[in-house]
Amino acid sequence: MSEIITKENYRLVLGLEIHLHLRTERKMFCKCSADIWEKTPNSHTCPVCLGLPGALPVPNEDAVKKTQVLGLALGCKLNKDSRFDRKHYFYPDLPKGYQISQYKQPLCVGGSVELDSGFMAEVERIHLEEDVAKSFHEKDRTLLDFNKSGLPLVEIVTKPVFSDVKDAVDFCKKIQQLVRFLDIGDVDMEKGQMRLEANISLRTREMEEKEDLFDYKVEVKNINSFRFMEKAVIAEIERQLEVFLNGDTPIQENRGFNETTGKTVPQRTKEDAKDYRYFPEPDIPPMVFNDAYFDELRESIPELPHDIKRRLVENYGIKKTDATTLVDVFGLSIVEKFENYVKSGLDAQKVASILINRKETHEMPEDEFKDLIVGKKDTLDEDTLVEIIKKIIDSNPKAVDDFKEGKENSIQFLFGHVMRETKGKVDPENTVSLIKELIK
Ligand code: ZN
Ligand code: MN
């Protein structure tokens, strides 16, 4: 490669790998309970998820289905023939010496997510695998907890399409939101239920035009918050730029993000696919799905956030940012309220603005909310109003005298009483002139 990277002409090339836990009753290949949060270490284990020799895995149908639901929601193509493969690597938290994952025939391929910037982020594939155990490193020993071993783990891999870290962060947020919306997982990052990895390399603007890449990428692993994602990527860009400016090319490796120093640190040199010696999992038969099953899944998917937002803008003409707030911040129940109000004849943009700016209106009874929008109506009939005003005039002789002596303010005092007595269900102008009339 003859192109030279400089601070002025570099472009980011970023692809994402997102791992997330599905919410299932049981683990991926055994009958152990998947409810492991804060449970006694190694209390949720069996020969399968401990990786004992001879133990046989049986796939969790619910996990397969939830992965496919996610795939459909992201516009993926679902493979009719899918299978599990063994991915070999040695690590203490993986006693089998391999992870059951998917390689050549994942459950879902393709798909995309439209981001806030308008950028369409393309998904490469979504596959299903098993999580590994958790290691606790102490001074002179490492402890292992196998409760997490064998939990259903979905991996979403994007194409290396991001040139802006903000888009990458937005993609991750949109995935978290979607998984929660579909109600297939909690994806709580603090509980490790969603983990982010970024494959990062740099190239020149000229290379971007020719769609050329350097033949390295650095994988920054196990990022556990959206904020750290942004920091880690920026730190890694700076580090790689430095390497280029010194006349070298960064090496292909895995790095971790150190939250204290704000820098990435080397972990291990990155394996190629061939190092994993993938081969079909011989203990699990291939999975075969038909169109009828896929149709059924498709029908089970609710209207998605993205489509709801589009519909709110197109059908009711409200601002796009307001549609986004209603859907993303307040959720389905408020969207439903919004639509009901608009269908009953209220102005859509006014309804949206009030729901967004005055949260107390979310719990308001319907007629009160309507009064708020259309302005208070003279709901009391004139006779009743006259009776109330007469009563107030009789019980406030001083204010009446004051008014007669020219103190205009005392009308406001009497008016206040009327408002309180009628709970505001009067026309202010009409009421003031009625008071003046009745005092004479
Ligand atoms: Zn088990
Ligand atoms: Mn994985």
Side-chain angles (χ1 to χ4, degrees):
M1 221 43 81
S2 55
E3 278 86 355
I4 292 164
I5 292 244
T6 63
K7 263 194 174 127
E8 288 72 38
N9 79 345
Y10 84 88
R11 300 287 290 156
L12 170 67
V13 183
L14 189 156
L16 290 169
E17 287 172 27
I18 301 178
H19 283 90
L20 50 93
H21 285 162
L22 293 172
R23 193 192 316 110
T24 54
E25 204 178 319
R26 315 244 159 237
K27 290 190 182 180
M28 188 58 229
F29 297 113
C30 63
K31 290 197 166 155
C32 290
S33 161
D35 179 19
I36 59 145
W37 181 244
E38 289 187 331
K39 295 291 187 295
T40 310
N42 297 306
S43 59
H44 288 44
T45 56
C46 73
V48 174
C49 56
L50 285 171
L52 300 186
L56 289 174
V58 178
N60 181 331
E61 200 182 327
D62 189 36
V64 171
K65 199 183 247 181
K66 283 175 172 155
T67 306
Q68 290 169 319
V69 163
L70 178 61
L72 285 175
L74 289 172
C76 302
K77 172 184 166 293
L78 302 191
N79 272 330
K80 281 188 174 172
D81 294 291
S82 183
R83 70 175 196 214
F84 288 101
D85 297 278
R86 290 187 179 182
K87 177 184 185 180
H88 296 82
Y89 63 96
F90 178 75
Y91 212 71
D93 59 19
L94 186 67
K96 294 199 297 293
Y98 61 85
Q99 177 191 33
I100 304 179
S101 180
Q102 297 195 282
Y103 183 48
K104 287 252 168 83
Q105 291 164 255
L107 286 167
C108 321
V109 289
S112 59
V113 175
E114 190 184 342
L115 304 176
D116 289 345
S117 66
F119 180 68
M120 273 295 224
E122 289 166 274
V123 173
E124 173 83 40
R125 54 187 274 141
I126 303 177
H127 67 253
L128 185 54
E129 56 191 30
E130 56 179 342
D131 206 349
V132 297
K134 190 172 169 59
S135 316
F136 297 88
H137 302 291
E138 294 187 349
K139 235 189 341 231
D140 52 354
R141 58 180 187 170
T142 293
L143 302 172
L144 288 162
D145 174 10
F146 281 82
N147 285 352
K148 188 166 77 73
S149 169
L151 284 185
L153 194 62
V154 164
E155 180 172 341
I156 303 171
V157 183
T158 74
K159 295 189 174 165
V161 287
F162 299 98
S163 53
D164 184 337
V165 63
K166 293 219 159 35
D167 279 340
V169 172
D170 189 33
F171 180 89
C172 298
K173 286 184 180 168
K174 293 241 168 349
I175 293 292
Q176 183 184 53
Q177 216 170 57
L178 183 63
V179 169
R180 288 178 178 167
F181 185 88
L182 293 168
D183 202 25
I184 55 174
D186 299 317
V187 280
D188 187 338
M189 297 186 79
E190 283 176 11
K191 293 183 181 172
Q193 293 168 339
M194 180 175 181
R195 303 172 325 236
L196 315 173
E197 285 158 35
N199 290 307
I200 302 166
S201 62
L202 302 183
R203 60 179 167 185
T204 62
R205 279 174 201 271
E206 298 74 45
M207 288 169 75
E208 186 180 55
E209 274 157 31
K210 289 184 269 178
E211 294 187 22
D212 268 353
L213 291 169
F214 285 110
D215 61 352
Y216 79 94
K217 63 180 183 198
V218 175
E219 190 169 335
V220 181
K221 312 275 286 183
N222 289 322
I223 303 166
N224 58 12
S225 83
F226 299 131
R227 202 162 52 89
F228 286 148
M229 163 69 106
E230 185 162 355
K231 286 188 169 180
V233 172
I234 290 168
E236 185 54 21
I237 292 173
E238 273 168 20
R239 190 193 68 84
Q240 291 186 20
L241 254 183
E242 198 67 40
V243 175
F244 277 115
L245 296 178
N246 285 332
D248 296 323
T249 306
I251 55 163
Q252 174 129 338
E253 63 181 339
N254 284 355
R255 298 178 74 89
F257 179 61
N258 183 320
E259 291 156 14
T260 321
T261 64
K263 293 199 156 84
T264 66
V265 286
Q267 285 179 334
R268 56 178 169 150
T269 52
K270 171 84 179 134
E271 290 88 348
D272 272 336
K274 65 179 189 301
D275 300 321
Y276 288 126
R277 294 174 296 116
Y278 280 102
F279 67 72
E281 167 60 58
D283 290 334
I284 303 174
M287 295 175 279
V288 181
F289 307 99
N290 60 32
D291 285 327
Y293 167 75
F294 286 160
D295 287 345
E296 211 176 288
L297 279 186
R298 228 169 251 124
E299 276 159 32
S300 75
I301 294 179
E303 187 184 19
L304 299 170
H306 184 74
D307 297 320
I308 300 175
K309 287 177 213 166
R310 181 174 301 164
R311 194 165 55 77
L312 293 185
V313 172
E314 281 175 8
N315 293 4
Y316 307 115
I318 63 170
K319 282 185 249 162
K320 199 176 169 191
T321 47
D322 286 351
T324 303
T325 308
L326 285 175
V327 175
D328 291 349
V329 181
F330 299 125
L332 281 189
S333 65
I334 295 304
V335 169
E336 202 180 313
K337 263 199 179 143
F338 165 81
E339 290 204 84
N340 286 339
Y341 284 139
V342 175
K343 281 175 188 156
S344 75
L346 298 181
D347 179 80
Q349 187 55 58
K350 269 192 196 163
V351 173
S353 302
I354 293 221
L355 285 173
I356 289 167
N357 295 315
R358 297 180 55 181
K359 273 186 215 155
E360 77 275 11
T361 61
H362 294 187
E363 304 305 324
M364 224 177 227
E366 210 176 310
D367 44 339
E368 218 174 295
F369 186 87
K370 284 183 180 168
D371 286 347
L372 192 68
I373 295 274
V374 297
K376 280 171 183 143
K377 280 182 290 184
D378 192 355
T379 45
L380 280 185
D381 62 278
E382 186 110 348
D383 289 346
T384 317
L385 181 57
V386 167
E387 283 313 305
I388 292 174
I389 294 175
K390 278 183 178 164
K391 214 175 70 190
I392 288 171
I393 288 176
D394 287 346
S395 47
N396 291 285
K398 179 158 188 324
V400 173
D401 289 344
D402 285 351
F403 177 70
K404 284 180 177 162
E405 282 163 25
K407 289 187 183 161
E408 284 283 329
N409 275 349
S410 48
I411 281 290
Q412 285 308 316
F413 173 80
L414 294 168
F415 175 69
H417 274 278
V418 177
M419 288 299 277
R420 227 167 297 147
E421 191 79 9
T422 61
K423 298 203 170 70
K425 289 180 178 170
V426 295
D427 175 66
E429 263 180 68
N430 182 42
T431 306
V432 169
S433 52
L434 267 178
I435 298 173
K436 284 182 182 170
E437 220 170 278
L438 291 166
I439 285 177
K440 282 173 193 165

